[in-house]
Amino acid sequence: MVGFLETLGARAPIVQAPMAGAAGAALAIAAMRGGAVGSLPCAMLTPEQLAAQVAEVRAAANGPLNLNFFCHRLPEPAPDENAWRALLAPYYAEEGVAPGPPPPLRRPFDDALCAAVEQARPAIVSFHFGLPEASLLARVRGAGALVFGNATTAEEMRWLAARDVDAVIAQGAEAGGHSGWFLGPAHRPTPLAELLAEKIAVPVIAAGGIVDGADIARALSAGASAVQLGTAFLAARESGIAAPFRALLGTRVPTGFTNLFSGREAQGIVNRLMRELGPIRDEVPAFPYGSNALAPLRAHAEADGRGDYSPLWAGTGVARVRAMGAEELVGRLLAELAQARGRA
């Protein structure tokens, strides 16, 4: 029986997760060469950068490509950052740095990015934090792309299915990175098993805590049509993460949800800032402005080989990740999946 992603040209029921700061053209190319769906995180790209990365991928790999965008709303006016900078003042003094120009913000999906999608014509466009307005969504579909939406609750799964998305990415509490909740206030993350128990009329792609073939087999047996892996790809040679982050992969380190690095809750490896300030602080400006004041601290510490102020986004399976090329990893996952199915 041909699986959902295989109908798009993938050889594996695997989506390489879009992870800003870790995933780019090199990782997508290697994952696609292995047979997975490759993904590009586009929320921090200009339309020109998006077009260049898509061209780079297509020149080096065949198969379905996913472009991922955020659907958040930028606060108006921009939030006051004074309380957050005051809280960080002792760290500025210790590190000998000062607040500087803000880094590029994560952009919500808009007309310019939609035009870039129409030009690129990817197989898949996925959205985090809900869906864009109806007119933009119609243009994405008109470009021939399938639409995937991210859900963190059963309610969000049903909401997305009612809007005729082509698949729902069920992001369990085990997943690293930003929790994509978008209906109602912030909530306690839902374990993946509970999300997979929710039956909807569109294919479900399981995400969270999946790092080997046995994990994939369990998710598919629980009703998922495919899986999305992020943490498992962090240790790939093609991953773009900094050396202090890479050194922690495959080790037993605690993870937790925090708003310190962006203003919105995301799961990552617990580091100095999370331990000393606590994972959640009201002083952090609303997403995506929370990262502005941390930028000079992060850059200084990373240059010194430390991840004290860096968002080390990773899920609960971080201790089990394996360092190898992404193409090799997909092959290993498929072999393990076949073994797990053979034992079933």
Side-chain angles (χ1 to χ4, degrees), residues 81-88 260 273 277 283-285 290 293-294:
E81 299 184 24
N82 288 331
W84 181 220
R85 291 190 178 194
L87 192 64
L88 295 175
L260 298 183
L273 199 69
L277 296 185
E283 295 93 337
V284 184
L294 280 175

Side-chain angles (χ1 to χ4, degrees), residues 264-342:
R264 190 166 181 140
E265 290 187 24
Q267 181 161 212
I269 296 170
V270 176
N271 63 0
R272 178 188 177 185
L273 199 69
M274 293 170 67
R275 287 191 297 269
E276 294 184 359
L277 296 185
I280 305 295
R281 298 292 302 221
D282 292 338
E283 295 93 337
V284 184
F287 181 88
Y289 290 90
S291 60
N292 289 354
L294 280 175
L297 289 166
R298 175 181 178 180
H300 179 78
E302 286 185 356
D304 194 37
R306 295 177 287 123
D308 293 344
Y309 313 102
S310 302
L312 308 176
W313 301 145
T316 58
V318 65
R320 297 187 291 125
V321 303
R322 298 163 287 187
M324 62 185 76
E327 181 176 359
E328 180 186 355
L329 174 61
V330 176
R332 182 82 60 88
L333 292 168
L334 286 174
E336 293 170 347
L337 173 59
Q339 292 172 357
R341 284 172 162 170

Side-chain angles (χ1 to χ4, degrees), residues 89-147:
Y91 298 102
Y92 291 141
E94 178 185 337
E95 301 290 350
V97 300
L105 286 175
R106 294 172 178 85
R107 298 179 58 194
F109 191 66
D110 58 15
D111 179 76
L113 290 171
C114 190
V117 167
E118 291 171 317
Q119 183 68 30
R121 301 188 67 84
I124 302 162
V125 174
S126 62
F127 293 105
H128 214 58
F129 306 137
L131 295 174
E133 61 182 70
S135 61
L136 294 176
L137 197 59
R139 288 170 58 186
V140 170
R141 289 188 166 119
L146 298 185
V147 173

